[in-house]
Amino acid sequence: MTDQPIYQPTADVQKSDEVTEHPATRGQGGELHQEPAGDAPRLTTAQGIPVADDQNSLKQGDRGPTLLEDFHFREKIFHFDHERIPERVVHARGYGAHGYLEVTDAIPELTSASLFQKAGTKVPAFVRFSTVAGNKGSFDLARDVRGFAVKLYTEDGNWDIVGNNIPVFFIQDAIKFPDLIHSVKPEPDRGWPQAQSAHDTFWDFISLMPESMHMVMWTMSDRAIPRSFRFMEGFGVHTFRFVNAEGKGTYVKFHWKPKQGLQSVVWDEAVKINGADPDFHRKDLWHAIEAGDYPEWELGVQVFDHEFADQFEFDVLDSTKLIPEEQVPVRVIGRLVLDRVVDNFFAETEQVAFCTQNIVPGIDFTNDPLLQGRNFSYLDTQTKRLGGPNFTQIPINAPKCPFHHFQQDGHMAMQNPKGRAAYEPNSWAKGGPRPRPKQGFESVAEHNEGPKRRIRAETFADHYSQARQFYLSQTKVEKDHIADAITFELSKVEVPEIRARVLSHLPNIDKDLAQKVAEGLGMEMPEAAEPYRTPIDLPVSDKLSILKNGPDSIAGRKIGILATDGADAELVNAVKSGAESAGAMVEIVAPQVGGVKLSDGSHMPGNEKIDGGPSVLYDAVAVIVSEEGAGKLASMLPGKQFVADAFGHCKFIAYSDAAETLLNAGGVTDRDEGMIALKSASDAETFLEACVAMRFWQRAG
Ligand code: HDD
């Protein structure tokens, strides 16, 4: 033992409400001289053995080799080495929250599902939102479809509605799913691009699959860059079935409609948010729930019968088609509320296992060939990802109703039955669970026949009509965004033949769109692709547009106030309190995160330093600065960009007199109606009222 003090790497921990000071240190003689502070539980190994020192591995001599005998060290490193499970092969990046579904309109005439028998019934829910293509560590604002997967823990078991924020899909038959996903994922030789469809292989595949055209219109629209999970619609996509107590089936499509309204960002904003805050969407959900501003969606159903299905222009089993709400209105039957963040991301969000085949009595599948394939894929993928068949025993996946079965053993089996009967039927008096012919799940007794063939039904053959309907249903701004997005994506495609092949599909959707994209790319318009079936003209559907279905208040939005020392206190407080009382969140962006001293001498704490709080993080901004503060910001790039971007992204901007210097330095010289001068506190109201429109689109031309 040396006479020198023994070096201990543990720094003293700063005291706060949540942090206690308990550096476990050894004295000069090597003896442990400080027990953990307070009543903290003792640190143990996973086997429960108390740990004396968690800072140093066991060594032979102070500078000698680490000993294999150190079971605490070995267990800790071994566990760490095994801490990751395979990420989801798609939808790897996601974020979940808990809540409930409350039934607002009972529908026993349509379905025997237990939850829909009585208005007011509440069932627990877990929802996971996701992007599709990117890996687990990718950024939130990728141009991509968003997963909208809902697990409902009903009295009759778990019902998973594994949907997206887009009501249609790229392909009609599940056998093409691996091809679709391989084409969008990083290319196999070079390993890029991450979380992006703007590359050769994706567009090559798309150009060869005309059935994808409808979905591509959606993914090139602003639907694929939502402002937040809270402002997205969700769709079950496939046609499912409701089955009532008499066994009568009715077709149904499921919809989630955000009470917060729909909202997306513009592409330049998405790119910049990815840099400024790659976790933008997950943080948004977390902060809203933590603030008690619980996001809510209406559960809506489109219910229709065989007669409608037979006369509908398209096949209701074709997932590349939707049923316009004008044709079959959405009936609201419930509300989904997310009111609790997860306790542990891995245990809940990462381990949750959604499966399309999880349905309950009263719900049934249809023969949609995409759905049929999914019903195989999800169980298979969960078994691989979570390591075995007992993933249903993980608390987030376990039913919350009583459940009894004879499945047993396997990796990590936690629920192990007692007794001798592990089979059914058996003749033991207490032999365990028995099937219930009347209450158990039964499939609709559908009659199917025909030759066994690999074939796509003729009724699936129209590839362009609904793509055209979607495009024509958009506002001018939204149409421009679609054209810009296709142009951008194709400009990243290196092989001219692929660009030309994609372009050749567009005249079948809309000639002006095709022309715009061709001009944007600087290409000659190639000959239009020969459609298998000539597209038909369909009426415009307003429900397909985001801007026609925007919010009706600024509740749940985020206003950024750029303030400096000496900023007019009355104005800052008027914008802040006005926004907060309208249900919006407010953040102060300042030259220093410590905050600012306002004109009345009061201190306003900052939320972001200007470099870390660009205007893309906010729905609208107020620039309330002193002359001196404006001058300083005008000499800083982040200051100039703050106002230039807010203006360029068509946001409403409120500004104090002194802000003129900064606005001009940022190149914002127009004072259009989206720019609201704050002369007195009452102008804050004008600004906040204008913000309900979310953007001053007239600026976009
Ligand atoms: Fe899928 C995950 C949605 C077609 C195979 N899918 C997954 C998730 C969502 C969807 C939201 C993430 C669930 C979560 O948060 O954990 N998928 C869809 C929709 C589709 C669709 C709306 C078309 C209508 N999917 C689809 C097909 C197949 C798959 C055709 C395969 C035949 N999907 C999977 C999967 C995943 C998955 C490989 C990956 C991780 C997982 O299941 O849990 O099984």
Side-chain angles (χ1 to χ4, degrees):
M1 209 44 74
T2 157
D3 291 343
Q4 296 301 311
I6 291 180
Y7 166 70
Q8 290 294 343
T10 319
D12 276 4
V13 190
Q14 210 184 342
K15 275 187 183 160
S16 80
D17 284 352
E18 289 176 357
V19 185
T20 44
E21 192 177 343
H22 59 92
T25 53
R26 281 180 183 276
Q28 293 187 7
E31 77 284 9
L32 186 71
H33 74 100
Q34 192 171 352
E35 284 292 319
D39 54 3
R42 64 185 188 180
L43 181 72
T44 69
T45 67
Q47 306 285 350
I49 295 145
V51 169
D53 178 345
D54 196 33
Q55 320 305 322
N56 304 294
S57 58
L58 185 66
K59 298 178 194 74
Q60 181 72 59
D62 294 356
R63 299 177 58 248
T66 300
L67 298 179
L68 192 60
E69 183 187 316
D70 187 350
F71 59 86
H72 170 50
F73 167 78
R74 275 189 292 118
E75 181 200 79
K76 187 171 175 183
I77 297 298
F78 149 86
H79 193 280
F80 173 76
D81 292 344
H82 292 252
E83 271 171 18
R84 290 290 172 275
I85 59 173
E87 66 171 33
R88 290 166 173 83
V89 58
V90 281
H91 295 264
R93 181 164 179 83
Y95 210 64
H98 297 269
Y100 59 88
L101 175 81
E102 182 179 359
V103 172
T104 50
D105 195 5
I107 45 168
E109 70 287 2
L110 292 173
T111 171
S112 61
S114 59
L115 73 166
F116 292 126
Q117 300 311 297
K118 229 175 56 205
T121 302
K122 271 189 184 180
V123 297
F126 186 78
V127 178
R128 183 175 179 273
F129 303 104
S130 47
T131 52
V132 178
N135 72 17
K136 218 181 126 193
S138 56
F139 37 85
D140 277 351
L141 262 292
R143 174 176 292 285
D144 202 349
V145 185
R146 296 300 183 287
F148 194 127
V150 182
K151 191 179 279 293
L152 299 170
Y153 304 88
T154 85
E155 266 178 32
D156 279 337
N158 291 350
W159 175 25
D160 295 352
I161 307 178
V162 196
N164 282 338
N165 74 330
I166 291 179
V168 288
F169 203 62
F170 293 100
I171 49 169
Q172 297 172 324
D173 190 312
I175 199 168
K176 297 311 296 168
F177 191 68
D179 301 301
L180 165 72
I181 299 305
H182 290 169
S183 82
V184 73
K185 284 275 186 182
E187 299 186 16
D189 55 353
R190 56 211 67 189
W192 75 70
Q194 179 56 244
Q196 285 171 61
S197 55
H199 59 122
D200 288 57
T201 58
F202 175 73
W203 285 101
D204 184 31
F205 179 78
I206 292 300
S207 70
L208 297 167
M209 296 285 290
E211 71 197 50
S212 64
M213 284 301 139
H214 186 195
M215 178 72 165
V216 164
M217 285 296 112
W218 284 79
T219 57
M220 293 302 110
S221 80
D222 296 344
R223 296 268 176 169
I225 38 174
R227 176 77 188 160
S228 142
F229 298 137
R230 296 182 293 139
F231 310 138
M232 309 187 309
E233 280 179 293
F235 304 89
V237 182
H238 312 280
T239 299
F240 289 87
R241 272 193 181 101
F242 273 148
V243 190
N244 70 12
E246 283 77 52
K248 182 173 176 290
T250 322
Y251 290 127
V252 57
K253 277 185 181 275
F254 296 107
H255 294 247
W256 301 107
K257 292 200 173 281
K259 258 192 74 180
Q260 300 77 224
L262 297 179
Q263 195 184 334
S264 282
V265 300
V266 295
W267 176 241
D268 184 66
E269 220 180 344
V271 171
K272 289 173 175 160
I273 292 173
N274 283 333
D277 189 356
D279 302 310
F280 189 68
H281 280 165
R282 54 177 59 189
K283 281 190 192 165
D284 174 273
L285 187 66
W286 175 280
H287 289 315
I289 296 175
E290 285 291 86
D293 184 9
Y294 302 140
E296 189 171 325
W297 287 262
E298 288 173 339
L299 168 61
V301 288
Q302 280 180 302
V303 175
F304 53 97
D305 55 17
H306 280 287
E307 217 178 324
F308 172 85
D310 289 345
Q311 55 83 34
F312 183 52
E313 292 92 339
F314 310 100
D315 198 320
V316 299
L317 302 182
D318 173 0
S319 277
T320 66
K321 307 296 185 304
L322 53 83
I323 302 179
E325 292 187 35
E326 288 77 6
Q327 255 169 298
V328 177
V330 171
R331 173 175 171 190
V332 175
I333 56 166
R335 55 192 278 268
L336 172 72
V337 179
L338 297 182
D339 62 356
R340 185 158 62 87
V341 297
V342 294
D343 290 331
N344 182 287
F345 178 85
F346 179 82
E348 294 149 78
T349 307
E350 195 58 7
Q351 293 199 120
V352 67
F354 293 95
C355 296
T356 52
Q357 75 278 10
N358 288 356
I359 52 172
V360 292
I363 316 286
D364 202 0
F365 310 117
T366 58
N367 293 339
D368 174 341
L370 200 66
L371 177 59
Q372 294 280 325
R374 292 180 75 193
N375 288 345
F376 163 74
S377 183
Y378 289 74
L379 178 60
D380 185 40
T381 209
Q382 308 309 354
T383 313
K384 150 91 182 164
R385 195 169 69 81
L386 296 164
N390 290 320
F391 70 86
T392 56
Q393 298 180 11
I394 299 171
I396 192 73
N397 296 320
K400 294 193 194 299
C401 63
F403 57 99
H404 312 278
H405 53 75
F406 292 108
Q407 266 93 264
Q408 62 164 16
D409 302 352
H411 282 291
M412 315 287 171
M414 301 289 157
Q415 285 147 6
N416 302 302
K418 290 184 181 163
R420 298 173 72 182
Y423 54 93
E424 199 282 335
N426 63 64
S427 62
W428 303 97
K430 288 195 173 162
R434 297 279 189 271
R436 297 277 166 87
K438 289 226 172 76
Q439 298 150 2
F441 180 88
E442 276 210 275
S443 304
V444 168
E446 189 186 37
H447 184 75
N448 289 306
E449 64 177 20
K452 196 195 285 181
R453 289 193 293 171
R454 290 185 185 276
I455 200 152
R456 194 76 58 92
E458 277 291 314
T459 46
F460 283 45
D462 180 324
H463 300 140
Y464 299 106
S465 302
Q466 283 206 341
R468 176 173 169 72
Q469 179 183 40
F470 176 77
Y471 181 72
L472 294 179
S473 300
Q474 307 301 309
T475 60
K476 176 176 180 306
V477 172
E478 291 170 304
K479 281 184 186 159
D480 289 346
H481 288 175
I482 293 174
D484 290 348
I486 303 175
T487 310
F488 173 83
E489 296 260 321
L490 293 184
S491 71
K492 295 280 179 188
V493 167
E494 289 165 11
V495 178
E497 289 74 19
I498 298 177
R499 280 188 213 146
R501 211 181 310 126
V502 176
L503 210 46
S504 74
H505 291 288
L506 300 184
N508 294 331
I509 298 171
D510 183 69
K511 293 211 166 54
D512 287 346
L513 169 67
Q515 203 49 50
K516 252 193 210 164
V517 175
E519 276 166 24
L521 290 169
M523 285 175 70
E524 286 294 309
M525 195 55 223
E527 209 176 305
E530 185 68 35
Y532 183 83
R533 179 154 299 167
T534 312
I536 50 172
D537 275 327
L538 298 165
V540 159
S541 165
D542 285 344
K543 294 287 183 189
L544 301 179
S545 148
I546 294 174
L547 295 185
K548 294 177 192 170
N549 296 282
D552 50 19
S553 85
I554 59 165
R557 270 58 188 185
K558 213 168 173 188
I559 310 286
I561 302 180
L562 177 56
T564 62
D565 281 343
D568 188 315
E570 216 185 324
L571 293 181
V572 171
N573 287 318
V575 172
K576 189 166 184 298
S577 62
E580 284 171 351
S581 53
M585 279 191 225
V586 174
E587 283 195 351
I588 303 291
V589 182
Q592 280 131 1
V593 76
V596 291
K597 194 171 176 190
L598 299 179
S599 58
D600 63 357
S602 62
H603 175 252
M604 178 67 75
N607 298 95
E608 293 284 0
K609 174 169 158 49
I610 177 73
D611 323 41
S615 59
V616 291
L617 301 183
Y618 306 105
D619 293 298
V621 296
V623 185
I624 309 174
V625 289
S626 63
E627 289 287 354
E628 198 190 336
K632 277 190 194 153
L633 285 174
S635 67
M636 295 163 63
L637 193 56
K640 288 187 275 195
Q641 276 170 346
F642 188 94
V643 291
D645 275 351
F647 188 83
H649 299 145
C650 299
K651 285 181 182 159
F652 288 95
I653 302 175
Y655 61 99
S656 64
D657 284 347
E660 294 276 359
T661 316
L662 175 59
L663 291 171
N664 292 334
V668 181
T669 47
D670 281 0
R671 297 290 175 264
D672 59 29
E673 283 168 39
M675 304 282 301
I676 290 123
L678 293 173
K679 298 286 180 202
S680 69
S682 63
D683 295 327
E685 218 172 294
T686 316
F687 166 60
L688 295 170
E689 273 165 19
C691 288
V692 175
M694 292 301 149
R695 308 266 172 161
F696 183 67
W697 288 119
Q698 292 89 318
R699 202 180 285 153

